[in-house]
């Protein structure tokens, strides 16, 4: 079994664009446990080019090694979001303050 530098680190990704997704992917590459929050329609990068058929190659790359959580299911209210954040060691986020105002 190979030891990873960031094994045991819990990362929560709440992003909508490439920089946050790529940053969180780097944590996953180095062994962190990364969970991303996705809105009901799915992460916006799931629809980005380049594509092979229905599959976004960009999405496949930045989502590798991560788990996915439905934002609505995981955070039915502000306390649910705060509980998720409190359980993470690192929060990767790229949303504006106005988007976070619901929490």
């Amino acid at each position: 079994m190979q030891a990873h530098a960031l094994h045991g680190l819990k990362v929560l990704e709440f992003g909508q664009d490439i920089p946050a997704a790529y940053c969180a992917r780097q944590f996953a590459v180095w062994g962190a446990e990364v969970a991303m929050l996705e809105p009901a329609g799915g992460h916006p990068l799931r629809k980005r080019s380049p594509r092979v058929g229905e599959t976004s190659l960009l999405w496949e790359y930045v989502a590798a090694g991560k788990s996915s959580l439905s934002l609505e299911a995981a955070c039915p209210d502000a306390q649910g979001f705060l509980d998720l954040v409190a359980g993470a060691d690192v929060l990767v986020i790229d949303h504006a303050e106005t988007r976070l105002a619901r929490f």
Side-chain angles (χ1 to χ4, degrees), residues 29-81:
V29 166
W30 288 94
E33 178 185 324
V34 181
M36 61 185 145
L37 287 173
E38 291 193 68
H43 197 290
L45 295 180
R46 286 183 179 271
K47 299 170 182 80
R48 295 276 297 266
S49 295
R51 305 178 72 78
V52 172
E54 294 297 313
T55 303
S56 166
L57 298 179
L58 172 65
W59 173 254
E60 291 296 315
Y61 180 75
V62 297
K66 302 177 190 176
S67 63
S68 178
L69 300 170
S70 164
L71 176 61
E72 287 71 19
C75 306
D77 56 19
Q79 190 59 50
F81 180 74

